[in-house]
Amino acid sequence: MPTTLRLVDSQLAADIEVIREANLAKKKPNSKGHEIQQQKVRAELAPRREPYWREIESGMHVGFYKSESDPVGSWRGRYRKTKARKKVKSEKTKTLYVSLPSTSELSYSQAVGQVKEWVARLRSGGDQTEILSGKRQEELTVWENCMAYRESRKAHKTANAFNDLEKRFNTLLLKGRDPIAKMRMVDVTREDLTALRDRFYSNKASDCPNTTMREAARKPATVNRYMTVLRAAFRFYFPTALTKALTEGFAALPEDTVHTHVSEKRLTDADKEQLIAHAGYLTDFIRTLFLTGARPIELRRLRVCDVRPNAIYLSHRKGDMKKTGLKTREFPLNNPELREIINRNCEGKKPEEPIFTTSTGLAWCESGTYFSAKFAVVAKRAGLPNVKAYDARHTVISKLVDGEILPLVQIANLMGTSLEYISNNYYSPTDDKLTAGLSAL
């Protein structure tokens, strides 16, 4: 066969394969749902948030779920339980979900059989916690119930939300080592829940891998968020309603209505020098804050690969992308002092390694809790206990506005913010500036 024909045939085959995959992705389910009976078809399904459901019988479905974090896939069950309301002609529908155990090894017929067994137990008055945990309901411990609740939420939560739920249980119940985690659900009292809340409120944080100790207790708002998740797990065990005693055990801690941190916002040159003098291993980090006006998290995320010959690329937070529409922003390396700091901290590092690290050479946590604690130590040594790292950004933006060299629009673009945000939050004029402005009236 001539070479030209072979090339045409190979290109045609490639085009056909692309069209086939596109049609498969767009293929709509039939009246019974998606065709997930064959393993070959399941392997070609694209990852998505919702499972690929197929009806077994009215109100009963089996689903196959694939995501980026679970490319192999797993089976799900769904049951729409309908019960008549009292004195009302309409009906109330409750949808229940289940994540089947050993899902990747089950065939379609085996998955259908397990879903039917699960629905049969629900129809006979059984509780789905028994199926998810493998234990009788009265023998279930708090930790086992939390894990069963987590599995029940897996069918309709994103991977990030599911992982966050697991982390909250691990942090609150110390991965099952807390005293209440080993108690049976039927034995838990209001006093047990109150004791758990108080322990979690006063204990030192241990959920950050770089954290060795934390002097301050958790904030009441943090404790309340974690206890809300635990209350949802208890409602999963008691589907009708929690007892009054247990409801009182989940009472929220009173949250502070007044901020404990009074920000100086705009720091003087003397304050800046004091912070740098007491910074220790954070010296280059703090100097860079005052040279760029960057957010602390932008410098914690900064990698060697983000550095260019004449600029650095700073990553924005998700909230900032809503304001500016940009994922990253470019900051010029025109300042010789800034260029020297960046080049020195990049020496001998790989492209994906962080430029600024902890005292042990590790990357900073995505959460700012650990960094804030370390900066608080520096601020306290400098005699500025109320100063936060973010105040450096307020200072830089205020100085740029007062300098009247750059237009406000260019300052906003350079700092990755908006004119409205500069006016309402960042800009703090000095007393001299206010006096000069008022005297001109």
Side-chain angles (χ1 to χ4, degrees), residues 237-253:
Y237 184 86
F238 302 103
T240 53
L242 291 175
T243 63
K244 182 179 180 181
L246 289 181
T247 302
E248 294 174 353
F250 286 108
L253 289 173

Side-chain angles (χ1 to χ4, degrees), residues 209-230:
N210 293 338
T211 303
T212 55
M213 64 178 298
R214 179 184 175 188
E215 296 296 339
R218 289 182 173 91
K219 294 182 179 180
T222 303
V223 177
N224 293 338
R225 284 195 299 270
Y226 277 78
M227 293 299 291
T228 299
V229 175
L230 184 63

Side-chain angles (χ1 to χ4, degrees), residues 33-39 41-42 45 52-54 62-64 75 107-108:
H34 292 274
E35 299 290 343
I36 56 176
Q37 300 94 321
Q38 298 182 6
Q39 198 278 334
V41 176
R42 296 195 297 270
L45 294 174
Y52 292 88
W53 295 107
R54 183 169 180 81
V62 63
F64 192 75
W75 292 103
S107 64
Y108 173 78

Side-chain angles (χ1 to χ4, degrees), residues 48-238:
R48 68 176 194 177
R49 181 176 178 179
E50 294 295 327
Y52 292 88
W53 295 107
R54 183 169 180 81
E55 186 181 43
I56 302 174
E57 58 183 63
S58 180
M60 187 191 309
H61 295 78
V62 63
F64 192 75
Y65 175 71
K66 290 184 72 174
S67 65
E68 297 293 343
S69 60
D70 184 19
V72 178
S74 53
W75 292 103
R76 301 284 189 270
R78 182 174 70 185
Y79 173 54
R80 291 176 178 170
K81 187 177 182 181
T82 303
K83 54 183 179 181
R85 292 182 178 179
K86 294 181 179 179
K87 300 181 180 180
V88 181
K89 294 183 179 180
S90 61
E91 294 182 335
K92 182 179 179 180
T93 302
K94 182 179 181 181
T95 304
L96 302 176
Y97 298 87
V98 65
S99 178
L100 303 181
S102 304
T103 49
S104 59
E105 303 174 359
L106 296 180
S107 64
Y108 173 78
S109 58
Q110 291 173 327
V112 170
Q114 289 201 13
V115 172
K116 287 183 176 181
E117 180 184 353
W118 169 63
V119 172
R121 297 183 68 176
L122 289 175
R123 288 173 174 172
S124 62
D127 192 273
Q128 66 170 343
T129 54
E130 298 181 12
I131 304 173
L132 295 173
S133 63
K135 281 192 171 185
R136 294 174 57 85
Q137 187 176 8
E138 60 269 16
E139 298 175 356
L140 212 63
T141 64
V142 172
W143 177 253
E144 291 167 343
N145 176 70
C146 289
M147 295 299 100
Y149 170 71
R150 181 199 64 175
E151 288 298 323
S152 73
R153 304 299 297 167
K154 189 175 182 179
H156 50 282
K157 271 188 176 289
T158 62
N160 290 339
F162 178 77
N163 293 335
D164 180 71
L165 184 64
E166 182 177 10
K167 289 179 181 177
R168 287 181 184 269
F169 283 135
N170 289 338
T171 304
L172 179 62
L173 300 176
L174 303 178
K175 297 184 178 180
R177 296 192 302 270
D178 190 89
I180 196 176
K182 302 175 183 179
M183 296 180 61
R184 295 191 308 169
M185 287 289 296
V186 293
D187 296 333
V188 177
T189 63
R190 174 182 58 189
E191 290 74 18
D192 296 325
L193 293 172
T194 304
L196 170 66
R197 183 194 64 187
D198 295 340
R199 283 197 302 272
F200 187 67
Y201 177 61
S202 60
N203 278 354
K204 296 176 181 178
S206 59
D207 49 350
C208 181
N210 293 338
T211 303
T212 55
M213 64 178 298
R214 179 184 175 188
E215 296 296 339
R218 289 182 173 91
K219 294 182 179 180
T222 303
V223 177
N224 293 338
R225 284 195 299 270
Y226 277 78
M227 293 299 291
T228 299
V229 175
L230 184 63
R231 180 170 56 188
F234 269 71
R235 285 176 175 169
F236 175 72
Y237 184 86
F238 302 103

